[in-house]
Amino acid sequence: MTHTNLEQIAVESVATDDSSRATRKKTPGAVSRVLIGLLATLTISLSGWALRSWRQESVEQLHSQCRRLSAQQEWTALGRVASQWSAREPQKADPWLYLAAADEGLKDWPKVIQHLEHVPRSDKRAVAALVRKSSIEFETLDRPWDGVHTCDEVLRLDPRVLIAHKQSIFFFAMTLQRAEMVRRIRKAISIRRESPESYVYLVSASWLYNGSLYRHNTRWLKSGPESELFQVAQALQVYTSQAKTDPEHAAEFEHIPTAEELLKKYPHNLELVAYFLNRTITEGDLDRVRELLQAVPVEIAEKDCRFWRAKAWCDDAEGHPELAESSLRKAYSLDPYWWQVHFQLYDLLRRQGRTEESAKFFAIYTKSKALSTEIMTLNRSVESLDSTKFCRSMLELAELVGDDAVATVLRERV
Amino acid sequence: MMPTTCVIRLDALMLGLLLGLSSGCGSDQGNSVNVPGQSADLEITAPAASKRIQAAETSLSELGAAQSAPEAVVATIHEIAFPSFEEVAEPSGLSFTYSNGASGRVLMVEATGGGAGWLDLDRDGRPDLYLCQGGDPATDCRYEQPLDQLFRQKPSGAFEPVTESSTIVEQSYSQGVAIGDFDDDGFDDIFVTNVGPDTLLRNQGDGTFQDVSVTAGIVDALWSTSAAWGDLDSDGDLDLYVCNYVDYDPYHPLPCGSEGKPGTCHPMHVEGVPDACFINHGDGTFSDESQARGLFGPGNKALGVVIADFNNDGLPDVYVANDTTPNFLFINQGSGIFVESSNAFGCAVSRDGLAQASMGVAAGDFDQNGWLDLYCTHFTKESNTLYKNLGVTGFQDVTGLVGLHTPTLKSLGFGTVMKDFNQDGHEDIFVTNGHVDDWRSKGDDYEMQPQLFSYEGPRFVECKFGAGDFFSTKRIGRGVAYGDFDVDGDWDLAVVHQNTPVAILQNTSSRGNWLKLRCIAIDNRRGVGVRVVLHQEDKVLTQVLAGGTSYCSSHEGSLIFGLGDDSAVADLEVHWPDGTLQRVLNLAVNQEWVLRQMPNGLSNSEMQYHTEVFSSFDVGRENNSDVLPDDKSHRTNQVN
């Protein structure tokens, strides 16, 4: 009905205008022309005012209805009304937010994120909407890459949004994209928007296989069953926990290929090769370690401290301590927090009789190992972390390894 | 002694050979490599080693380019003579089973006990055997519990129980035993570790023993495990180091286990307790001076111990294997004061920097560099660890590099010895295994097979087949003690199991030439701490009579050198425990010799040589004519 009136009003207004123009041609007196002009102006003004009033009233009605329907959790009706509103005011945030609320009530998640996407970025609620969107993408729709992109958009709008840092760091941690994870952690630290778990991930950047890898990657694989990234991250928790050889759990992980099978499938996968490197070093298979070092493109491998550590092991085993030291120091520069590199540097220098330098790295190892042990004994959740104590220890370690960027921020924190 | 052969795949050895080549141990030109020290040479066809082993490059990008792709290794089947043993306890009349008293309570102390000690109680030259017994660890009637047992070896070679006649009444819940002549009267005494007060039994020389624990001042009521004798204060007599484990009272046990089922407590959940070091005052009394002498460390949960000179300064040091906490190396500072130096020497934790669940520990010079190496046994999924002694810079964990990582991942090792069983000139390693709890649902075996590794330089090879039927049977192994019980010049073994009979493993290896020594120091007739360096043509071998080693067990106080194919005479440098050096030249091999320290022995600093060859086996005749051995003449070469 409203819509019909609006149309009638528009038609009448145009007809009046045309007839005045015709009259003016017949009686072009000055007074008449002024009167006609005034009348026309008045008419147009009144029409505009009427239209605006009608529209305002209509939007208020829509808003009011949306509020009511939302409170009553009448999601279908809310969706209908909000849809009308959004058609009328697509540049406004509210109708999209109500639409999103309606579809969230109906659990139509793909539509929810569509609606949230429409929230104008200029609106002060855009950040909250996008944060909600990323949560749905990560946790409900299992579309983590979309979640990451949304987080990135959030951070472009406001780099101070803690949750966006947390979510994206978590994703890169859970998918074992360690270099990107560290880059994001350091970015968050530099703008003081890091959370305590950022430091947990930073300290464990080169060695941690989180206890939730299997669970999250199994979910995320739904969004891309052929995803190498998720397959490898999922499998690595199974391998590192030795779940496949545990009779109590073996059946549960029967569908996971063996590590050897997966490596055959993805022979150049960074994480998989790094896993085998560690295993093969422990087994003392020098030739195999050399082979594995070549399996990953050099430009990727040389940015990964695990490969430098492996090379150091080869150097050492072949009787080249000076090369081993050089490789270990490179590993140390790439990840100053990895306790195993600290230990190996201590061990290598000790064997060369360089007691003082060795003692320095032993002190670092003692601290980093203690922190790592604390991480390993967290009850599967960083929430159980005593963040004050942890940050204090982290500060000591950051100072020991000379990581000023981290130490400066931690000093403020503790 | 039938020759025994094992068949192995050569590709398993390939890496080791290449490693050896890379460190300058062989030709890098040919395609055929001969490995010395084996009865049958290994021949492999391989790409020229020099192509494969390149000096490490300075960048990862060049690494790939430096390597040629591995070429196919043409591996053929070869035969190697490995050590072999035959289980002879039953035909020898030795019947004994260590009972851990398991009754479903799963008390922590049930997991650890069972040790054996070789001694010559009557100085007849034939090793006798002391065996610890457990029983009910939480009984109200201790006096009703089974006794530790002493078996004497008769001239026929059969064992007979002599516990009653020896007057030994040891009814505590025993764990281990350490044999030593603390009063230097020439008769082996017995120290027994218990859950509760330990016991010192003095050999009275007439076949009987006297419990002198109280009068000697041996006061240690903690849960003790392994123990070792050694002259820690360099005063000539033997002192006693006692490993103490954790603070656990079987009468008031901690509740452990999961899902409502009782389980063996994890040592990380139980407080450690300090070890004891009883310094011998030379008058039959001791005092615990562990704290005053620096023999203590944080997180002490000791299960294994070795007393030996690890830094070749002529002074005995102490290595302690701790369960789940870093191991200790107490370096002797020269005045009976020790400094814990395991980190400085690189033998506290594994190559990965992880503290392991150490149980037993073996010592020997596997790489023949004259420095004593260490081999520690560990929990399942940890692998045992071989620490190579590099010399003045300490140790390096080389477990993986010598092929010892993977074979022990599924094992839970306890007793271990490093000896050259087949006398090919290289040390072998024996390990007895067995779980501490029933973790079969988690994929671990409860009973486990023992393992034997033969050093085929530069890697060890597991003797899975051909070592004897004993190695195919699963048991719960604990203590292992070596002794030449059949007096034929090679090492036999006593292996203690929980709740199944003790095994006596007679060495049946097809073996090389050998030389056996008993060293009688002036103040230390058992010669504990003596270090002998043998020179035979180009060969230089070192043997040390260490205190302790293995787990809860004690060994015959002799040294045996395996000499492989070489039957030439040997020269000896004998480094006596008091620091004096003695040279013995042109000693015929394939015999047992008794060496007595010269009074006014020559010091190291003088570096003068003195030649003195003692007639073989004269000690028994000289000092104990009434207990002369039967006709067990010095064996000549048994090698064909």
Side-chain angles (χ1 to χ4, degrees), chain A residues 242 247-248 282-287 290-291 293 298 311 315 318 323 339-340 343 346 350-351 362 365, chain B residues 15 19 52 54 56-57 61 63 70 343-345 351-353 381 390 393 395 400 405-406 441-443:
Chain A
Q242 301 180 331
E248 279 181 358
T282 308
E283 289 163 359
D285 190 341
L286 186 58
D287 278 0
R290 287 286 190 203
E291 274 176 38
L293 279 172
V298 169
K311 182 183 177 299
D315 296 335
E318 289 180 338
L323 292 181
W339 62 275
Q340 286 196 317
F343 182 80
Y346 135 76
R350 175 188 60 76
R351 284 186 274 119
F362 185 78
Y365 152 74
Chain B
L15 172 64
L19 276 168
R52 305 189 66 192
Q54 299 281 340
E57 304 299 327
S61 59
L63 182 67
N343 289 316
F345 278 75
R351 184 194 62 80
D352 288 329
K381 298 182 177 69
L390 304 171
T393 57
F395 294 84
H405 174 76
T406 309
S441 63
K442 297 178 183 175

Side-chain angles (χ1 to χ4, degrees), chain A residues 2 4 9 21 40 113 124 151 183 209 211 214 219 240 246 255 260 276 290 298 309 354 357 363 390 395 398 411:
Chain A
T2 311
T4 310
I9 289 168
R21 241 180 277 140
I113 58 168
K124 62 182 181 184
C151 284
R183 191 189 69 75
Y209 293 97
Y214 181 80
R219 284 198 299 106
T240 52
D246 182 347
H255 64 289
E260 288 74 14
F276 270 94
R290 287 286 190 203
V298 169
R309 176 176 169 255
R354 293 158 64 181
E357 292 168 275
F390 186 86
L395 171 59
R411 259 180 235 117

